[in-house]
Amino acid sequence: MDPRQVENQAYDRTSAQGRDAIALDILSIFQVLRRRIFLIAAIAFVFAALTAAYSLTITPIFRASSQVLFDPTVRQPFDDSNRPSRSGQGSEVIDSQISVIHSDTVLRPVARKNNLSEDPHFGEGTPGLMSQFKSLIFGATKKDAATLEAQETAAVEALADATIVKRVGQTFVINISAESPSPVQAAVLANSIAESYLSDQKRQVDLASDEAAAQIDDRLVDLRDRLRQAEEEIQKFRADNKLQNSDEGSLLTGQELTGLNSRLIDARAALAEATAKYDEIQRVLKSGVDAESIADVVNSPTISSLRQQYATAARTEAQLMADLLPSHPSVAQSRSQLERLRNLIRDEIKRIADSTRIDVQVNQERVSRLEQQLDSTRNLSDVDQAASIRLRELETEAQATRQLYEIALSRAKEISQLDQVVLPNARIISPAIPPESPVYPKRKIMVILAGILGVLFGTMIAVGGEAIRIAKKHLLPEFMQPPEPAMAVASPVQPASPVVTRVDASYDARPQSELPATRARSKRTPSRLSSSPDPDLQVISQLPWLTETDENGSVRPLSSDAVSAVQDAVDRYYSDEEGPGWAFGEGVDQIVAAVQDAPAQNGTRIVFLTSPALGHGQTIAALALALGAAQRGLHVLLADGEPKQRMLSHDLSLDDVDDLGGTLRERIVDYDELGIAFLSLVSGLPKYKHHRMNIREAFDFADIARDYDLVIIDGVALPQLAEDDPLAGLSTQFLVTVAEREENQISMPILSRDLLTIAEGRPAGLVRTMTGTTPPSRRKYA
């Protein structure tokens, strides 16, 4: 067996024995506690005794409580039952009353009544010896008003700090508690605060009533003056415009206009009647007077008498004409009598016609005169109507003022009579009584807690002392020489791990016995690191070109489907199948072994892969490392953090997805066929833009990494990698891939310095990629 392997096994056994020796299990802890029981009891007793002595020096504080019921549903005797209550019924009402009790308005009368400014606990207290001595020598100094006010204010503030006001559950009961060194004083203060609160409530009601009455009285005076001024303006306007009212309330001009109109109607009716009568008489005169055909329009006693006489004479003539000849004297006399009567009727009708004509003329003049008077009165009425518009405005304003005045006067009388009857909505339901025991300090609880704290402190001393003793015994020699970590930063002559292959110019294949002593030392043997002005990276492994088989069975360099090719190469190696890709799998296994040998931080291994530029096989190496670690049974997470090509996200069908979820944990995809989990950190982001994690994403990523045995990050190129990059800060190991065919064009010392500066002492190594003599015709992974 290789000597270094023997030495490593011996070192592992020694370390395991050391760890077993310093381990403290539950049984050991109980044994230590049993041996140190008296020490623990002594410490607990000291803690309890000191606490008891300290509690005796504390001034006890007593708390007394009184309860007040505030009922917002109480209605006053003369309140309208249909109107809602003026005070609400919600919790904010009780909260408002609690604030009122804590206010200066309630507490200041209590402090003044109980003279708290002179109380030792709340105010200045009794003067000291020096103050009494000065008073004897210089006389008592009288305090000014400002000093007394300041002392009283300080006492009120102290009383507010000693007052506790709480609502009892969801009820309308308020608990008022007061604290004081004296139990009697605590009860007195609690009851005084409750009484002051009730007095303040009543005082506020009285003040509100007095203020409302005063405001209404002031308003009444103003409304009375306004009403008087409005009525005076109405009277003055009436006098200036001669707008006098009748008994019915209407204007005289309007009443006169109504009378004239009525008289004009009557006059016109009389004129029409007279005219019709006159026209009828004229028609009778023109057609000839016929006693038989005289109409009723010529109706008069004379005509009636003449018509009767004419009718009698006509009958007599008719009788004579029937008995005698026309030439008979009796007949001639009768005919003469008829003619005379006819003439008398005609004359009477003419007389009546003259009288009717005079009536027509008189009625015409009357109608004409009434029309003139009506026109004149109508003009006056128009003027009065224009003035009455302004009069109505004045009357409306005066009426509104009169209504306001009457309402205010009625309300003032109502307030003065009814507000004297007010039911209180708060009352004391449980007065405070002097308490029997103080609320502070709770001496028993303090002593018990101090004893428990002493037991815990004694236990810590006992167990800690035993742990320190064991650590000094077993670990002190190893602390003198810190071990050399695997994959550590080394000089060109520094040793490499057993799985490390040096592929640089200094490599030779001499046996271990011929190597210098520094190279033959085991990597687990404690030693001090030698410093070198030109740091270099250890070559961890080398990865040859990947190949694929075409349709004809010929082997050629890889051109597509890199995931399948890498998986096939890794599977061949771990299945011990010879063939293309076996050497690639061997190199991958060397990298996985080196990663596992390096120390982890808090059980987490995060490997960050980078390269000098695109085209150095970084992504192939990251994928191969993840698949190789999965073959070894590790729970692996592969993260794509390379923003330019995003080959992993593309080949794993994630590059076209714009939104992969809200959190990083939701974006993790498990690939059972590959045996790994994959997380894209660049999908959905702008292409060719370097994405830097924020603090929240870094914490989320660190939390995710704890769930995996190994996390592999395909990171950005080394020139774009900053020292404060969150992914680099979370990484525990760093690998840089360099293509063999381009190594001569890269300044390796500068590359080593840049990577080691970012690594800051964390393990870092170099992987040569694309080794071999046959370059491919085309490559998928540049």
Side-chain angles (χ1 to χ4, degrees), residues 288-303:
V289 178
D290 187 0
E292 299 295 337
S293 62
I294 295 175
D296 293 336
V297 69
V298 193
N299 187 15
S300 69
T302 305
I303 292 297

Side-chain angles (χ1 to χ4, degrees), residues 687-722:
K687 290 187 181 289
Y688 305 107
K689 180 178 180 181
H690 178 45
H691 172 65
R692 292 175 61 88
M693 279 187 171
N694 54 39
I695 299 299
R696 182 181 295 275
E697 290 176 339
F699 276 111
D700 291 345
F701 189 80
D703 183 66
I704 292 172
R706 297 189 186 96
D707 300 337
Y708 295 88
D709 300 327
L710 178 63
V711 179
I712 301 170
I713 302 174
D714 183 19
V716 297
L718 188 57
Q720 286 77 41
L721 184 61

Side-chain angles (χ1 to χ4, degrees), residues 409-661:
L409 182 60
S410 174
R411 185 57 180 165
K413 292 181 178 180
E414 180 181 352
I415 291 176
S416 62
Q417 297 298 326
L418 301 182
D419 279 1
Q420 302 300 325
V421 183
V422 178
L423 295 179
N425 55 3
R427 58 189 176 89
I428 298 176
I429 60 174
S430 178
I433 59 175
E436 296 180 356
S437 59
V439 295
Y440 177 82
K442 297 290 186 181
R443 292 188 175 91
K444 294 181 180 179
I445 297 177
M446 291 178 63
V447 172
I448 293 174
L449 292 178
I452 295 174
L453 182 61
V455 171
L456 295 177
F457 189 72
T459 303
M460 291 174 59
I461 292 178
V463 176
E466 186 70 15
I468 292 174
R469 184 185 63 80
I470 296 175
K472 286 182 178 180
K473 180 179 179 181
H474 295 279
L475 297 182
L476 185 59
E478 292 186 7
F479 287 160
M480 300 300 294
Q481 293 182 346
E484 177 185 350
M487 292 179 61
V489 179
S491 64
V493 297
Q494 206 168 0
S497 63
V499 296
V500 173
T501 304
R502 296 287 293 182
V503 197
D504 54 6
S506 62
Y507 174 80
D508 61 61
R510 291 179 295 174
Q512 294 290 337
S513 60
E514 299 179 7
L515 290 176
T518 56
R519 295 178 59 89
R521 182 182 299 162
S522 172
K523 69 176 182 178
R524 295 185 182 272
T525 303
S527 63
R528 295 186 180 274
L529 296 177
S530 61
S531 60
S532 174
D534 297 322
D536 195 5
L537 291 173
Q538 291 182 351
V539 178
I540 305 302
S541 179
Q542 56 184 0
L543 299 178
W545 290 101
L546 274 175
T547 59
E548 61 182 359
T549 305
D550 59 10
E551 299 176 353
N552 299 324
S554 301
V555 178
R556 64 180 185 183
L558 177 67
S559 61
S560 63
D561 198 6
V563 176
S564 298
V566 173
Q567 185 180 13
D568 181 69
V570 174
D571 290 344
R572 281 178 180 275
Y573 174 78
Y574 286 100
S575 300
D576 292 331
E577 296 180 6
E578 298 291 340
W582 192 92
F584 183 89
E586 182 182 16
V588 171
D589 186 68
Q590 291 177 358
I591 301 175
V592 175
V595 169
Q596 286 186 292
D597 288 340
Q601 294 182 3
N602 299 324
T604 303
R605 299 180 187 273
I606 303 177
V607 181
F608 189 94
L609 273 77
T610 183
S611 59
L614 297 177
H616 287 266
Q618 170 188 328
T619 303
I620 284 286
L623 177 61
L625 180 58
L627 296 178
Q631 287 288 345
R632 283 198 171 203
L634 300 181
H635 191 199
V636 183
L637 172 65
L638 177 61
D640 186 5
E642 202 286 304
K644 290 189 176 182
Q645 290 187 340
R646 310 183 184 191
M647 291 303 178
L648 289 175
S649 298
H650 180 270
D651 279 0
L652 296 178
S653 302
L654 294 175
D655 192 48
D656 296 332
V657 180
D658 294 332
D659 188 5
L660 297 179

